[in-house]
């Protein structure tokens, strides 16, 4: 992480304490961490008597309604622009365009942060921006309350997959404990994000499981979602995201492929791998890319040809 | 909870500190909490130079191999009998029969504990016995290490559904933090129990989803597992346990039914309900029983008749 103008959480707290009419920017396709972190900061700033609201390129999904965020609708003229959980200015969008090149402070946890803001407070070792935000809010001398706690707990819980992912540390649990003590409805939040599935998700799972096949001595699992099924279910990209993790999560599987039909002769392949297999390398063989454990590419041809081609690359990767 | 001979964690620690040749009993069909709590105590007692081993009616499942527990094979003559996470002596089994009526100390977190031991250290408000065990081990003055931490973290994580269930408190997270600091392989444990599924589970899910139907204005979801399928997959009761939660977890569903065929004309029905519906009442209508959110019963007849009968009761429960 090469960050210019890097500042500490204490300096970030000081800047916020001295500011007013603060516009908080979330990243597009907002998730629980950008929404929860921005929400927590919004409630904290309001407690200090400041004017503050949140702006996001995309609509905040209904499932975050309980956080009761105040969205920016020109109710004040922004004097300080703060982006939250936004690794790069490209992740902001058109709706926030007047502010994208003028972000005063970025609060983030992505190691890939591009240092686009005048000041950046980023800790790439943390599993969630919300964990960093808790420190900033505490530094400002704001007493935690139920609203702040619900927002930050949502951020931490969603970005750590419920305290499961590897960046979770003892400090993450200490943060969780503080937020529960401050009144976070932790069971409600857990239920909402981890213990229920939409009917669309369930139908997608059903169709995907019916196509499940194993290859490469059962080390590769493949599911296919045809255009017909996706149209029938009216599945959104976020619905498919949940399916992509499924084949890899089967015991003994090192490479999970989710093949999604785009047109009659083109397919998007999502590749998930276990620790020792590089998903990005497999994707790059088809002009795609991504991360070492999760990558993707588009391949042209019939389903049979596409499958054969990708399985050849998987076979090579598994033999390395 | 009416417990005679109730003792504090401090008194439990004192008893253990003064004992040697300690036999630890787990409950039958052992889960992560009975195994993890017994394992944590085993490592702690060994650190104090004591002789100690674990006995359980059933085989400890392979997935707990990483805890490297020492099982009792008559390597010493037990002088102190300690049951761990065992609510009633009935949950011990034949293999532990010589000791079942002579348990000196029971360490537990079940509100339904029957007070069968000479001394009972039970806190029914805790989500896991492992959380109580941590306090007992700390009271004994034993420094936590990786072995103890892995055992207790396994207990807490499995019994809280990964910090999701309602009995999880800030103290549970503080316990989690301590165990991570002591070296618990928390990511490994999370992966093992929450991020992978066996092929049997996946096949059961597939078959169950293919039978999924909605009734009562979509407030009741039903899946059926026929004897043919269960035999084909060679499914164990623990495999089916995972399926039972699925229908209720669908958005908008208040009653989830999993109908499992026992013989040509008898079916076991698992009933899971949302907050305001009493699963036990529905089950009792068929001579079954259980808890308010999870209950079960057996019903005789053809699949169609059984379905009709249970749906009539569900309809009544939903209209209350």
């Amino acid at each position: 992480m090469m960050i210019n103008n890097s500042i500490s959480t204490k300096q970030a707290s000081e800047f916020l304490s001295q500011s007013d009419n603060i516009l908080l920017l979330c990243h597009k396709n907002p998730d629980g961490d950008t929404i929860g972190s921005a929400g927590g900061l919004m409630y904290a700033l309001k407690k200090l008597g400041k004017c503050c609201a949140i702006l996001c390129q995309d609509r905040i999904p209904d499932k975050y309604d309980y956080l009761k965020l105040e969205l920016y609708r020109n109710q004040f003229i922004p004097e300080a622009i703060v982006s939250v959980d936004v690794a790069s200015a490209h992740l902001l969008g058109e709706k926030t365009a007047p502010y994208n090149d003028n972000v005063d402070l970025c609060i983030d946890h992505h190691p890939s942060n591009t240092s686009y803001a005048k000041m950046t407070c980023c800790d790439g070792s943390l599993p969630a921006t919300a964990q960093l935000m808790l420190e900033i809010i505490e530094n400002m001398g704001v007493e935690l309350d139920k609203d702040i706690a619900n927002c930050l707990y949502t951020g931490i819980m969603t970005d750590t997959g419920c305290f499961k992912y590897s960046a979770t540390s003892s400090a993450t649990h200490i943060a969780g404990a503080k937020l529960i003590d401050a009144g976070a409805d932790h069971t409600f939040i857990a239920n909402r994000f981890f213990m229920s599935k939409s009917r669309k998700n369930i139908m997608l799972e059903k169709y995907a499981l019916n196509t499940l096949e194993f290859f490469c001595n059962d080390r590769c699992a493949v599911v296919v979602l045809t255009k017909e099924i996706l149209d029938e279910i009216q599945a959104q990209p976020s619905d498919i995201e949940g399916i992509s993790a499924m084949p890899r999560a089967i015991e003994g599987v090192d490479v999970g492929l989710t093949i999604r039909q785009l047109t009659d002769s083109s397919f998007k392949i999502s590749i998930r791998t276990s620790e020792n297999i590089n998903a990005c390398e497999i994707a790059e063989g088809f002009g795609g890319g991504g991360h070492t454990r999760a990558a993707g590419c588009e391949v042209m041809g019939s389903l049979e040809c596409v499958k054969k081609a990708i399985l050849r690359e998987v076979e090579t990767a598994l033999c390395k």
Side-chain angles (χ1 to χ4, degrees), chain A:
Chain A
M1 183 161 42
M2 288 276 292
I3 290 183
N4 305 320
N5 308 315
S6 174
I7 63 166
S8 68
T9 54
K10 205 153 166 280
Q11 290 170 309
S13 304
E14 277 163 18
F15 171 77
L16 291 163
S17 295
Q18 289 156 13
S19 304
D20 201 354
N21 296 315
I22 304 158
L23 181 65
L24 305 178
L25 306 180
C26 291
H27 65 69
K28 52 186 171 186
N29 299 318
D31 63 5
D33 196 23
T34 194
I35 291 169
S37 300
L41 182 55
M42 180 200 86
Y43 280 113
L45 293 170
K46 279 177 180 287
K47 261 190 129 167
L48 293 173
K50 294 175 190 297
C51 209
C52 167
I54 294 168
L55 187 61
C56 181
Q57 166 71 18
D58 300 306
R59 197 167 168 276
I60 306 292
D62 294 344
K63 61 182 169 184
Y64 298 100
D65 276 357
Y66 65 99
L67 297 178
K68 301 193 187 75
L69 303 185
E70 183 178 337
L71 298 180
Y72 184 66
R73 292 193 179 87
N74 299 308
Q75 59 270 58
F76 58 83
I77 295 165
E79 288 170 15
I81 314 294
V82 179
S83 67
V84 176
D85 194 49
V86 184
S88 142
H90 293 110
L91 300 170
L92 286 166
E94 283 169 36
K95 208 165 144 186
T96 61
Y99 314 107
N100 293 0
D101 294 332
N102 292 297
V103 177
D104 295 297
L105 169 62
C106 165
I107 301 169
D108 188 25
H109 79 121
H110 292 96
S112 58
N113 189 290
T114 61
S115 187
Y116 59 91
K118 288 175 203 144
M119 294 173 284
T120 304
C121 179
C122 179
D123 184 343
S125 75
L126 298 182
T129 295
Q131 191 177 329
L132 193 65
M133 195 61 86
L134 174 59
E135 204 180 312
I136 291 172
I137 290 172
E138 286 180 323
N139 284 342
M140 288 199 292
V142 176
E143 201 186 338
L144 299 179
D145 60 22
K146 196 183 191 64
D147 290 323
I148 297 172
N150 272 337
C151 287
L152 298 185
Y153 200 85
T154 299
I156 290 178
M157 209 174 206
T158 53
D159 242 30
T160 61
C162 215
F163 300 93
K164 283 199 300 283
Y165 302 155
S166 57
T168 302
S169 70
S170 58
T172 314
H173 282 287
I174 298 287
K178 279 183 189 173
L179 297 170
I180 290 176
D181 280 338
D185 296 315
H186 61 101
T187 311
F188 169 85
I189 298 168
N191 261 296
R192 177 151 293 211
F193 292 97
F194 293 97
M195 294 164 84
S196 75
K197 283 184 181 176
S198 70
R199 282 183 68 161
K200 258 183 206 179
N201 277 128
I202 281 284
M203 296 317 285
L204 273 175
E205 263 185 49
K206 170 183 149 171
Y207 285 116
L209 283 174
N210 282 329
T211 67
L212 177 65
E213 286 181 291
F214 293 90
F215 299 94
C216 308
N217 289 323
D218 296 344
R219 289 180 66 195
C220 177
V222 181
V223 299
V224 178
L225 292 166
T226 63
K227 205 172 166 305
E228 195 187 341
I229 294 298
L230 293 168
D231 288 348
E232 184 194 318
I233 301 179
Q234 299 186 292
Q236 304 298 311
S238 65
D239 298 319
I240 296 156
E241 188 60 26
I243 299 295
S244 303
M246 188 247 287
R248 220 297 297 144
I250 302 170
E251 218 171 46
V253 170
D254 288 312
V255 180
L257 303 178
T258 303
I259 303 180
R260 173 161 68 98
Q261 186 175 28
L262 301 173
T263 67
D264 277 353
S265 61
S266 71
F267 296 85
K268 192 165 162 43
I269 306 179
S270 154
I271 305 160
R272 300 290 181 103
T273 56
S274 63
E275 256 176 68
N276 302 313
I277 314 289
N278 193 327
C280 192
E281 267 179 34
I282 300 173
E284 279 167 356
F286 298 93
H291 305 277
T292 48
R293 305 274 165 275
C297 56
E298 275 184 44
V299 187
M300 310 290 288
S302 71
L303 178 57
E304 279 319 300
C305 290
V306 165
K307 240 199 226 176
K308 249 190 207 157
I310 186 88
L311 283 171
R312 208 159 35 224
E313 293 300 313
V314 169
E315 184 83 54
T316 308
L318 286 172
C319 290
K320 264 185 193 169

